[in-house]
Amino acid sequence: MKSILISFFLFLFFGQFSAQTTPYTLAGRGVGTTFISDYHSLGINSSALGWPLEYEGKKITFSTGETYIYLQSDSLNKQKFKNFSDIIKTQVNNQSIDTTTIQGILSSTVGYAKAGVNMRANLLWLGGSYKTNKIGGFAFSMTEDYGFSGKLNTNNANAFFQGNWQNLIDSASTVVNGDTSRIAYSQNLAADTAAGIYSIHLANPLDINNYTLGTNAGLVWNRNFNFGYGVKLLGDDSTFAVYGGLGVRYIQSMAYYDLQSDAGGLRVNSSLSPTSLNYNGFITQINPFNFSSIGGFFSKPVGKGYGVDFSASVIIARKIRLALAVNNLGSVKYENYKYTGNTALPQEIAISDYDPNNSAANVQALLAGSQLLTFEGKETLTVANAANFRFGASFKPFKQLHVGIDFVAPFDKDNPVSQQNGVFALGLDFRPVKFISLNAGFINGGIYQGYIPVGLNVILGGGTYEFGISSQDIVHFLTKNGNSVSMAFGFARIRI
């Protein structure tokens, strides 16, 4: 059972998806460009730091521990997610699982692998802002941002998750009680026979580039130190006012991994730290060269870079807000280790500790022998940030209701780590009473196909203390076929 969990999370580990902070107040309504105005505006619309105070007399806002988690796959549905949740619970409680359930989970996981998986998560270590109506607003935040996604072709998915190596392995050499023999390969070998396998034989030399064609995988894990300033440039808040904003960030990257297999062959770029996800020693085998030493509270980053945000907004008659922003222009520079797939594998491959029931360990053993990938050398790799363009508009007809739209698109669509399509969102914030904020919306475009976000925020002491919970897509919880799971929450948002 352990191998199932390792295999599943190994797949999630790989991804080519740029992680960006999503405040829990944004997640619940899908829009944020003209709704948020404190440290939440960093990376979204820093000009909002110059807007009038949301709560009179409360110039300082700070928080910690805000969290956002998102998982999406076209193959995901409610029953599959429940099955996987049940397995996690049984493992935590050290309970056994019947064979039928295990096979069901493996089958579901193969479906995820073929359809593709996207995963995002971020954590706000600390965020704060200081605003005055005279000099504008300043904000900072420290965030941990993760992005994962991946897609495997049929060959890779079946071999990796179900141990279906028949179309790859013709026979195997094994030793049992001192007797050596060569046997036809099967998934149903006796335990002592499988344990004695010391080499596998291919019917024909395998072209690893063709075998993996269509597979893509990778990972981005960044620690961002964000700073921003927003100020009123001209006008009067009661009639027409123009605001400008600037944001900068220092990026420490803890991991970057990119695997692509296309007509140009199999290519891998790898920069990983000791704290990068290293399930069962798997990543050590992929890249044993550049594991940096752990030092201090955080391990040494493998990449460093910067990002810059520019934004402008207007407020008309205190009821209408319009905003434009370009965020995260910049790049990260890595010490990268480059690999390419071997053109053809030898017809006999030595492999130690072969286990038909643990595909992850078998792949690890092949990588350890440098028989799948060839190390091409160390190089400096500069990866452009996934910059984006945002437009937002909103209307506040009365104090209790705020409605708006957002449009977010890649600044450079050719950037491989950028989202490839624009995303459109509708959202609202409704406050039936002073201490309750109800959020809802609609998101469409990119991987967000007809999502309905919802959220609840509780505001106490006239804005002094705030906490809430939200989901970027309530469809999964209400229907059988929702293809995403997301949750965001904040519990320590304070204003003084």
Side-chain angles (χ1 to χ4, degrees), residues 7 106 110 113-114 152-169 185 187 206 211 354-363 366:
S7 297
L106 284 173
V110 170
K114 293 178 182 178
L152 305 183
N153 68 16
T154 300
N155 290 332
N156 305 151
N158 289 341
F160 194 76
F161 292 107
Q162 291 189 315
N164 186 1
W165 300 79
Q166 273 97 334
N167 63 342
L168 175 63
I169 301 173
Y185 179 79
Q187 280 185 272
L206 176 71
Y211 190 78
Y354 182 80
D355 181 356
N357 297 313
N358 191 342
S359 296
N362 296 335
V363 174
L366 289 173

Side-chain angles (χ1 to χ4, degrees), residues 165-172 182-185 199-207 211 344-349:
W165 300 79
Q166 273 97 334
N167 63 342
L168 175 63
I169 301 173
D170 172 66
S171 59
R182 181 169 172 174
I183 60 172
Y185 179 79
S199 70
I200 56 178
H201 303 265
L202 310 182
N204 298 292
L206 176 71
D207 184 343
Y211 190 78
L345 296 179
Q347 287 187 268
E348 181 176 2
I349 300 176

Side-chain angles (χ1 to χ4, degrees), residues 9 44 51 98 116 145 148 151 168 198 205 207 217 239 244 257 281 303 305 338 356 370 392-393 418 421 472 493 495:
F9 284 110
I44 296 175
W51 293 351
D98 62 88
D145 297 331
F148 314 79
K151 186 174 184 178
L168 175 63
Y198 60 86
D207 184 343
T239 55
Y257 188 88
K338 185 176 182 179
S370 299
S418 292
N421 300 292
Q472 203 166 24
R493 201 159 131 84
R495 297 184 183 91

Side-chain angles (χ1 to χ4, degrees), residues 360-379:
N362 296 335
V363 174
Q364 178 183 340
L366 289 173
L367 288 168
S370 299
Q371 297 173 103
L372 297 182
L373 302 175
T374 297
F375 176 55
E376 298 291 343
K378 178 180 176 181
E379 63 181 9

Side-chain angles (χ1 to χ4, degrees), residues 166-463:
Q166 273 97 334
N167 63 342
L168 175 63
I169 301 173
D170 172 66
S171 59
S173 293
T174 183
V175 55
V176 180
N177 297 324
D179 295 327
T180 301
S181 61
R182 181 169 172 174
I183 60 172
Y185 179 79
S186 168
Q187 280 185 272
N188 302 311
L189 296 174
D192 57 346
T193 302
I197 291 177
Y198 60 86
S199 70
I200 56 178
H201 303 265
L202 310 182
N204 298 292
L206 176 71
D207 184 343
I208 197 66
N209 294 327
N210 287 330
Y211 190 78
T212 61
L213 186 64
T215 291
N216 60 81
L219 163 72
V220 178
W221 171 6
N222 292 338
R223 182 172 299 128
N224 296 327
F225 299 85
N226 306 285
F227 305 90
Y229 174 65
V231 64
K232 181 168 70 175
L233 300 176
L234 58 91
D236 184 274
D237 294 332
S238 62
T239 55
F240 182 89
V242 179
Y243 301 83
L246 173 67
V248 296
R249 69 185 43 81
Y250 171 61
I251 304 171
Q252 289 186 336
S253 187
M254 309 310 297
Y256 174 79
Y257 188 88
D258 179 29
L259 180 152
Q260 297 291 318
S261 182
D262 52 29
L266 173 64
R267 304 172 305 282
V268 178
N269 291 304
S270 173
S271 291
L272 302 167
S273 77
T275 53
S276 299
L277 305 181
N278 189 24
Y279 295 108
N280 203 29
F282 189 85
I283 303 306
T284 307
Q285 300 295 349
I286 293 177
N287 185 2
F289 301 99
N290 71 324
F291 268 62
S292 54
S293 59
I294 296 177
F297 184 69
F298 295 117
S299 63
K300 182 180 177 181
V302 295
K304 298 178 182 179
Y306 70 95
V308 181
D309 310 328
F310 299 97
S311 58
S313 58
V314 299
I315 296 181
I316 304 172
R318 293 195 174 98
K319 293 183 179 296
I320 298 174
R321 296 177 181 177
L322 304 171
L324 291 170
V326 176
N327 298 309
N328 212 25
L329 297 170
S331 61
V332 177
K333 184 178 290 186
Y334 294 91
E335 276 193 354
N336 176 63
Y337 293 78
K338 185 176 182 179
Y339 302 80
T340 56
N342 290 332
T343 303
L345 296 179
Q347 287 187 268
E348 181 176 2
I349 300 176
I351 184 170
S352 60
D353 301 320
Y354 182 80
D355 181 356
N357 297 313
N358 191 342
S359 296
N362 296 335
V363 174
Q364 178 183 340
L366 289 173
L367 288 168
S370 299
Q371 297 173 103
L372 297 182
L373 302 175
T374 297
F375 176 55
E376 298 291 343
K378 178 180 176 181
E379 63 181 9
T380 298
L381 177 68
T382 299
V383 180
N385 297 340
N388 63 67
F389 165 82
R390 300 184 71 102
F391 168 75
S394 62
F395 177 53
K396 197 170 186 177
F398 47 89
K399 189 175 181 180
Q400 291 78 17
L401 180 64
H402 194 181
V403 297
I405 62 171
D406 266 8
F407 177 72
V408 184
F411 184 77
D412 178 9
K413 191 174 181 179
D414 293 331
N415 185 334
V417 297
S418 292
Q419 64 184 53
Q420 296 302 298
N421 300 292
V423 175
F424 175 77
L426 300 168
L428 64 85
D429 181 337
F430 177 56
R431 304 192 179 190
V433 293
K434 288 184 178 181
F435 60 90
I436 294 292
S437 170
L438 301 176
N439 302 150
F442 175 80
I443 312 174
N444 199 55
I447 61 174
Y448 309 102
Q449 298 299 322
Y451 285 16
I452 301 177
V454 295
L456 168 66
N457 215 33
V458 178
I459 307 158
L460 304 176

Side-chain angles (χ1 to χ4, degrees), residues 55-131:
Y55 295 91
E56 187 174 353
K58 299 188 183 300
K59 300 179 179 180
I60 298 174
T61 304
F62 60 92
S63 181
T64 185
E66 296 180 11
T67 303
Y68 170 76
I69 300 172
Y70 170 84
L71 170 66
Q72 182 271 340
S73 172
D74 289 342
S75 179
L76 180 66
N77 60 39
K78 192 169 185 177
Q79 186 59 47
K80 289 180 180 179
F81 184 75
K82 181 181 182 301
N83 290 345
F84 183 70
S85 299
D86 289 343
I87 279 197
I88 295 295
K89 292 176 184 177
T90 58
Q91 292 298 289
V92 171
N93 297 323
N94 198 28
Q95 298 173 349
S96 60
I97 303 176
D98 62 88
T99 303
T100 302
T101 302
I102 291 175
Q103 291 303 317
I105 288 297
L106 284 173
S107 178
S108 297
T109 305
V110 170
Y112 301 148
K114 293 178 182 178
V117 170
N118 296 285
M119 184 175 178
R120 288 180 56 195
N122 55 62
L123 168 67
L124 175 76
W125 288 102
L126 183 65
S129 62
Y130 174 77
K131 296 178 62 174

